[in-house]
Amino acid sequence: MDDLTEETLVFQRIADFHEWFAERRAASACSVTRARLDQLDGWHIQQGTGTIQHHSGKFFAVDGLEISTDHASVSSWTQPIIIQPESGILGILVKRFHGVPHFLMQAKVEPGNIGLLQLSPTVQATRSNYTRVHKGKAVPYLEYFQAPRRGRILSDVLQSEQGSWFLHKRNRNMIIEITDDVEVLEDFCWLTAAQLGELLRWDHVVNMDSRTVLAGWPLAETHWGRDAAIDRDQLSELLSWFTEAKSRYQLTRQRIPLTNVKNWIISPERIVHENDAYFAIVGVDVKGAGREVAGWSQPMIEPRHPGVVAFVTRHDGDEPRVLVHAHTQAGTHDVVEMAPTVQCAPGNYEDTPPDRRPSFLDYVLSAGRERVLFDALHSEEGGRFYQAENRYLVVEAGPDLPEETGPDFAWMTLSQLAELARYGNYVNVEARNLLACLLFT
Amino acid sequence: MDDLTEETLVFQRIADFHEWFAERRAASACSVTRARLDQLDGWHIQQGTGTIQHHSGKFFAVDGLEISTDHASVSSWTQPIIIQPESGILGILVKRFHGVPHFLMQAKVEPGNIGLLQLSPTVQATRSNYTRVHKGKAVPYLEYFQAPRRGRILSDVLQSEQGSWFLHKRNRNMIIEITDDVEVLEDFCWLTAAQLGELLRWDHVVNMDSRTVLAGWPLAETHWGRDAAIDRDQLSELLSWFTEAKSRYQLTRQRIPLTNVKNWIISPERIVHENDAYFAIVGVDVKGAGREVAGWSQPMIEPRHPGVVAFVTRHDGDEPRVLVHAHTQAGTHDVVEMAPTVQCAPGNYEDTPPDRRPSFLDYVLSAGRERVLFDALHSEEGGRFYQAENRYLVVEAGPDLPEETGPDFAWMTLSQLAELARYGNYVNVEARNLLACLLFT
């Protein structure tokens, strides 16, 4: 093996990455323009029900959902939601050069990304993509993530995605370490963990799919050092806290015709909430190179406000601990998942009296700069969400944090959170994204 | 604390237990008689759909299900199934006397149990039971399993039950260790792990709910000794094997009116399969003492044939390994769960050509006696299943076992299986039952 050849697109300095990334951006001419929902090429609005779906019946659909729960600020509501029963593959290839793990990342345009081009996993493909429903190009590197596989499996788990916007969607998150020679295709590059950590501190560079996959990177490989042995009794307490929350609350959902959602204004152009809150369903036309197909149209979710996703942490033991929230959302698979301390769009709570605002929201937003350990803006999934921006925050708890946080919250170590994230539908996508930021920075 | 008082109903010899149990049996006069489905007190058959449900709308219902899958011997079928969306509590209290853990077990009559009286967990209650829908007696010891709890949590997880007969049913499985003084009520007794192990080798003594809860007993507390540290890489391989199976296969279900099930003969008396195979839906009238209410009627599932539930094991390393099967059943929550090597009713395969019989069925049934490490008959859940009997087997692999077992099977250590059983919907109820037998004997 010729290391010099093989290590093509390993960057000595992060500035070299930025130069390469700027080149890729220039090469990936792409335009995204808004379009009316009733004029999206390949899509139709079903007579009667209003369901927005693809002619192939594949990809995804936008439909209505009725939610009843005793674990939200209102006990029932209806909303549009994305129905995407297929699960895709999000996979990152890892290879050690001179002992240092490198991650094969892809510069990829997605219509909803802020800045359009961001770093994706090696493979980011829905089943429709990789079974080539749209007759596009083959997905490169897919063979590393499909049976029969070679390589060392570091992570492989079906994980949930945004519960406010997806019903039961999940993707297979994989990290595979190989020793094979790999051809580095155009748009791909190798990055070290340290480089990824630096880029996670930049706004809108590392995409959501990369972040959720990176949450599976073993803690022992990070600067946090060896995995602390997981204490059985402590883990039993946490699992019991989670089981208790699942048992304490109820969540029932029923799909309804999209035309039956209440408090939403449906027009041939778009769907908006009557208070101009939450999100809208909009259409986009995409023209651009570097994708499986030359151009396409699709509906997307456009959030009305940017969000805040924050962990409150404590460094009073051997290992930092994070305050995890047992959280229920419209699309949550099984009543609750483990969410960050705070996860909401503050813009939706502007007129809410202080005692009814989300717990710890004001606490994290008002934290002094010296207590903010991590602060970056990231885009959510650019294939479904249009310019969905979250502020990812890690805030060290001060002495003013109440000792008693209530039954919906639990403190856990990074090791414990990382261990739970190895199982599906325990740790939600926002918490996994923050976990990735903590593991790599 | 007066140990002598407190240790009431700790048995010095297992013979003392049998004597006590015989007394409890004599005291629990109970009769179970068959009844027509259309004449079950408190139940009605819904006009049009044929759904059998309780007047309260609680407890459970019998309805129809249509199943499509590429992971069964036929690609689609319809069948009656029990719909029980509520989850109940199955909880065992543990207390150490002179350092030895004792389990508080209950002699409890259930209409479907072979022998009627068997050993149940300390608490075995559906939500309808403990919220007292039927206005019966309060459930004793319930307070130990409901928040706010005291005691050390050894296990607390929502677990699936029989996937062939239940759609999505699950119960909360709990083991709580306490140091409090506990009053031992009539029908309750303390048993050591060794005594439970001995009773698990008897036929039809330890009921299914006890067995599934006991599967959560920490391996480190058993004669298998300290938990082997769980190797991260090996666990990653197993989790990946499971994720791969979930991704490889499809399973879709749709509830249909019970009157629309094909190949089943529905009459006012009972529901049977046209080939007299699988199971029947029958009714029973129960009269007896020692329950929350004096008498009741209910529909039950009566299997046509006894079943076989078997692990093939290997003792070629530090720890025994079991051969686990990624198995799909009608009611499986998420495509596959980890099942025993063999799980079926051989009577349903009498006319099946050898190459289409369930894998390893003939292997375990023909094993020489020297290779049979465990062999006992147990009843399945006596509250829903009428005289459902499984032969629980553990068979040591001989040199004749094929090395290549195919992608649906994986070898794992007892530690690994026990670790996975701490998470919900990984290890199915039959595998957990066998795990309990392995942990305690």
Side-chain angles (χ1 to χ4, degrees):
Chain A
M1 175 187 122
D2 179 353
D3 260 8
L4 285 178
T5 309
E6 239 262 300
E7 290 181 33
T8 308
L9 287 165
V10 171
F11 301 110
Q12 297 308 311
R13 301 170 311 141
I14 199 76
D16 300 337
F17 164 81
H18 287 297
E19 195 179 313
W20 173 83
F21 198 60
E23 279 167 22
R24 297 323 313 152
R25 192 183 297 279
S28 65
C30 173
S31 79
V32 179
T33 50
R34 285 166 182 273
R36 293 165 55 107
L37 287 175
D38 65 346
Q39 289 177 6
L40 297 177
D41 189 35
W43 295 79
H44 68 277
I45 298 174
Q46 201 169 308
Q47 206 77 32
T49 62
T51 311
I52 306 172
Q53 57 189 31
H54 195 255
H55 290 322
S56 66
K58 302 278 180 177
F59 301 109
F60 64 95
V62 181
D63 210 351
L65 191 72
E66 183 175 338
I67 301 102
S68 300
T69 181
D70 52 4
H71 196 212
S73 53
V74 290
S75 63
S76 71
W77 72 95
T78 59
Q79 66 166 73
I81 200 152
I82 297 179
I83 310 290
Q84 185 167 347
E86 312 184 329
S87 64
I89 292 177
L90 308 178
I92 296 183
L93 273 190
V94 170
K95 181 171 177 176
R96 285 171 210 267
F97 297 115
H98 309 296
V100 179
H102 284 66
F103 300 74
L104 188 61
M105 306 301 290
Q106 178 182 13
K108 186 179 175 104
V109 164
E110 291 175 291
N113 282 343
I114 294 174
L116 292 175
L117 191 79
Q118 295 192 7
L119 282 178
S120 309
T122 318
V123 166
Q124 174 182 324
T126 62
R127 187 177 285 261
S128 295
N129 281 147
Y130 65 74
T131 56
R132 298 165 81 177
V133 168
H134 52 29
K135 304 181 183 67
K137 293 184 240 166
V139 175
Y141 306 110
L142 183 63
E143 66 274 19
Y144 290 100
F145 301 95
Q146 287 192 306
R149 267 180 288 108
R150 52 195 189 278
R152 177 183 168 216
I153 297 156
L154 294 174
S155 168
D156 183 2
V157 55
L158 287 165
Q159 291 285 23
S160 61
E161 297 199 355
Q162 283 75 7
S164 290
W165 302 329
F166 283 121
L167 181 64
H168 297 331
K169 188 197 173 192
R170 56 186 188 173
N171 273 318
R172 188 170 176 186
N173 285 228
M174 305 175 80
I175 305 177
I176 306 285
E177 182 180 336
I178 49 158
T179 53
D180 303 16
D181 283 5
V182 178
E183 186 190 359
V184 177
L185 299 173
E186 195 178 51
D187 293 326
F188 288 81
C189 69
W190 291 110
L191 291 170
T192 63
Q195 290 171 335
L196 278 170
E198 181 160 348
L199 295 174
L200 279 165
R201 291 191 174 274
W202 284 64
D203 296 343
H204 303 298
V205 174
V206 181
N207 85 352
M208 187 208 86
D209 294 318
S210 300
R211 300 192 306 271
T212 169
V213 175
L214 293 173
W217 184 238
L219 195 67
E221 296 271 5
T222 72
H223 63 95
W224 299 101
R226 263 196 68 70
D227 275 295
I230 304 283
D231 178 88
R232 188 189 153 97
D233 275 9
Q234 287 173 18
L235 191 62
S236 291
E237 290 274 350
L238 291 174
L239 289 170
S240 180
W241 164 77
F242 191 55
T243 303
E244 178 74 33
K246 285 192 179 186
S247 304
R248 187 183 319 128
Y249 300 114
Q250 311 274 332
L251 172 65
T252 58
R253 275 78 56 95
Q254 190 171 3
R255 279 181 66 176
I256 57 172
L258 186 52
T259 47
N260 288 8
V261 294
K262 289 166 216 144
N263 311 114
W264 294 79
I265 301 163
I266 300 177
S267 74
E269 288 85 19
R270 51 196 233 125
I271 302 172
V272 294
H273 191 264
E274 61 184 16
N275 298 342
D276 194 21
Y278 311 118
F279 60 85
I281 305 288
V282 300
V284 294
D285 291 330
V286 185
K287 304 258 172 279
R291 291 286 291 213
E292 297 86 0
V293 289
W296 73 94
S297 300
Q298 67 171 85
M300 301 194 87
I301 279 187
E302 180 180 19
R304 181 64 189 86
H305 303 286
V308 170
V309 172
F311 265 136
V312 172
T313 60
R314 247 187 185 149
H315 285 77
D316 51 4
D318 289 343
E319 234 194 314
R321 290 184 298 151
V322 294
L323 186 59
V324 173
H325 181 209
H327 189 47
T328 298
Q329 294 177 284
T332 302
H333 180 65
D334 185 20
V335 191
V336 293
E337 288 194 13
M338 299 182 193
T341 322
V342 175
Q343 170 187 326
C344 69
N348 292 327
Y349 296 93
E350 270 170 10
D351 302 327
T352 307
D355 60 318
R356 296 193 50 204
R357 285 165 66 82
S359 305
F360 302 106
L361 173 59
D362 297 322
Y363 188 84
V364 298
L365 292 183
S366 64
R369 193 187 296 176
E370 73 290 353
R371 291 206 281 117
V372 177
L373 307 183
F374 184 89
D375 188 357
L377 299 175
H378 288 299
S379 302
E380 299 308 311
E381 223 267 78
R384 297 291 174 269
F385 311 133
Y386 188 71
Q387 305 208 337
E389 177 178 276
N390 275 317
R391 183 175 173 197
Y392 282 78
L393 276 170
V394 177
V395 173
E396 177 70 11
D400 50 336
L401 190 83
E403 193 57 41
E404 181 50 63
T405 51
D408 281 358
F409 289 88
W411 287 102
M412 57 184 77
T413 63
L414 276 193
S415 303
Q416 290 162 345
L417 184 66
E419 180 66 18
L420 293 167
R422 301 175 74 187
Y423 297 85
N425 293 114
Y426 278 78
V427 182
N428 82 353
V429 64
E430 291 83 359
R432 298 196 313 272
N433 274 237
L434 270 173
L435 174 60
C437 296
L438 283 163
L439 292 175
F440 282 79
T441 64
Chain B
M1 176 187 123
D2 179 354
D3 260 8
L4 284 180
T5 307
E6 239 261 300
E7 290 182 31
T8 309
L9 286 166
V10 170
F11 301 108
Q12 297 308 312
R13 301 170 312 140
I14 200 76
D16 300 337
F17 163 81
H18 288 296
E19 193 177 315
W20 173 82
F21 198 60
E23 279 166 22
R24 296 325 311 153
R25 192 184 297 279
S28 66
C30 173
S31 78
V32 179
T33 51
R34 285 166 182 273
R36 294 163 56 105
L37 288 175
D38 65 346
Q39 289 176 7
L40 296 177
D41 189 34
W43 296 79
H44 68 276
I45 298 174
Q46 202 169 306
Q47 205 75 33
T49 62
T51 311
I52 306 172
Q53 57 190 30
H54 194 255
H55 290 322
S56 66
K58 302 279 179 177
F59 300 109
F60 64 94
V62 181
D63 209 353
L65 191 72
E66 183 174 340
I67 301 102
S68 301
T69 182
D70 53 3
H71 195 212
S73 52
V74 290
S75 63
S76 72
W77 72 95
T78 58
Q79 66 167 71
I81 201 154
I82 296 180
I83 311 290
Q84 186 167 346
E86 313 184 330
S87 64
I89 292 177
L90 307 177
I92 295 183
L93 273 190
V94 170
K95 181 171 178 174
R96 285 171 211 267
F97 298 115
H98 309 296
V100 179
H102 283 66
F103 300 74
L104 188 61
M105 306 301 290
Q106 178 182 10
K108 188 180 174 100
V109 164
E110 291 175 293
N113 282 342
I114 293 175
L116 292 175
L117 191 78
Q118 294 192 7
L119 281 178
S120 308
T122 319
V123 166
Q124 173 181 324
T126 63
R127 187 177 286 263
S128 295
N129 281 148
Y130 65 75
T131 56
R132 302 166 77 178
V133 168
H134 51 30
K135 304 182 184 67
K137 293 185 241 167
V139 175
Y141 305 111
L142 183 63
E143 66 274 19
Y144 289 100
F145 301 95
Q146 286 192 306
R149 268 181 287 109
R150 51 196 191 278
R152 176 180 168 219
I153 298 156
L154 293 174
S155 169
D156 183 3
V157 55
L158 286 164
Q159 291 285 24
S160 61
E161 297 197 357
Q162 282 76 3
S164 289
W165 300 330
F166 283 123
L167 181 64
H168 297 331
K169 187 197 174 192
R170 56 185 187 173
N171 272 319
R172 188 170 176 186
N173 286 228
M174 305 175 80
I175 304 178
I176 306 285
E177 182 181 336
I178 49 159
T179 52
D180 304 15
D181 282 6
V182 179
E183 186 192 359
V184 177
L185 299 174
E186 195 179 50
D187 292 326
F188 288 82
C189 69
W190 291 110
L191 291 170
T192 64
Q195 289 170 337
L196 277 170
E198 181 160 348
L199 295 175
L200 279 165
R201 290 191 175 274
W202 283 65
D203 297 342
H204 303 297
V205 174
V206 182
N207 85 350
M208 188 208 85
D209 295 317
S210 300
R211 300 192 306 270
T212 168
V213 175
L214 293 173
W217 184 238
L219 195 67
E221 297 271 6
T222 72
H223 63 97
W224 299 100
R226 262 195 68 70
D227 275 294
I230 303 285
D231 178 89
R232 188 191 152 96
D233 275 10
Q234 287 174 15
L235 190 62
S236 292
E237 290 276 349
L238 291 173
L239 289 170
S240 181
W241 164 78
F242 191 56
T243 303
E244 178 74 32
K246 285 192 179 186
S247 304
R248 187 183 320 126
Y249 301 114
Q250 311 274 332
L251 172 65
T252 59
R253 273 78 56 96
Q254 192 172 2
R255 279 180 65 175
I256 57 173
L258 185 53
T259 48
N260 287 8
V261 295
K262 288 165 217 144
N263 311 115
W264 294 79
I265 302 163
I266 299 178
S267 73
E269 288 84 19
R270 50 195 236 126
I271 302 173
V272 293
H273 191 264
E274 62 184 17
N275 298 342
D276 194 20
Y278 310 117
F279 60 86
I281 305 287
V282 300
V284 295
D285 291 329
V286 185
K287 305 254 173 280
R291 290 287 290 212
E292 298 85 1
V293 289
W296 73 95
S297 301
Q298 67 170 87
M300 302 194 86
I301 280 187
E302 180 180 21
R304 181 63 189 84
H305 303 286
V308 170
V309 172
F311 265 136
V312 172
T313 60
R314 249 188 183 148
H315 286 77
D316 51 4
D318 290 343
E319 234 194 313
R321 289 183 300 149
V322 294
L323 186 58
V324 174
H325 181 210
H327 189 47
T328 298
Q329 293 176 285
T332 302
H333 180 65
D334 186 19
V335 190
V336 292
E337 288 193 12
M338 299 180 192
T341 322
V342 175
Q343 170 188 326
C344 69
N348 293 326
Y349 296 92
E350 270 170 13
D351 303 327
T352 307
D355 60 319
R356 297 192 52 203
R357 283 166 66 83
S359 305
F360 302 105
L361 172 60
D362 297 322
Y363 188 84
V364 300
L365 291 183
S366 64
R369 193 186 296 177
E370 73 289 354
R371 292 207 281 115
V372 177
L373 308 183
F374 184 90
D375 188 356
L377 301 175
H378 287 299
S379 302
E380 299 308 312
E381 221 267 79
R384 298 290 173 272
F385 311 133
Y386 187 73
Q387 305 208 337
E389 176 178 276
N390 275 317
R391 182 175 172 198
Y392 283 78
L393 276 171
V394 178
V395 174
E396 177 70 9
D400 50 335
L401 190 82
E403 192 58 43
E404 181 50 63
T405 51
D408 282 356
F409 289 87
W411 287 103
M412 56 184 79
T413 63
L414 275 194
S415 303
Q416 289 162 344
L417 184 66
E419 181 66 18
L420 293 167
R422 301 175 73 187
Y423 297 86
N425 293 114
Y426 278 77
V427 181
N428 82 354
V429 64
E430 290 83 0
R432 298 195 314 272
N433 273 236
L434 270 173
L435 174 61
C437 296
L438 283 163
L439 291 175
F440 282 80
T441 65

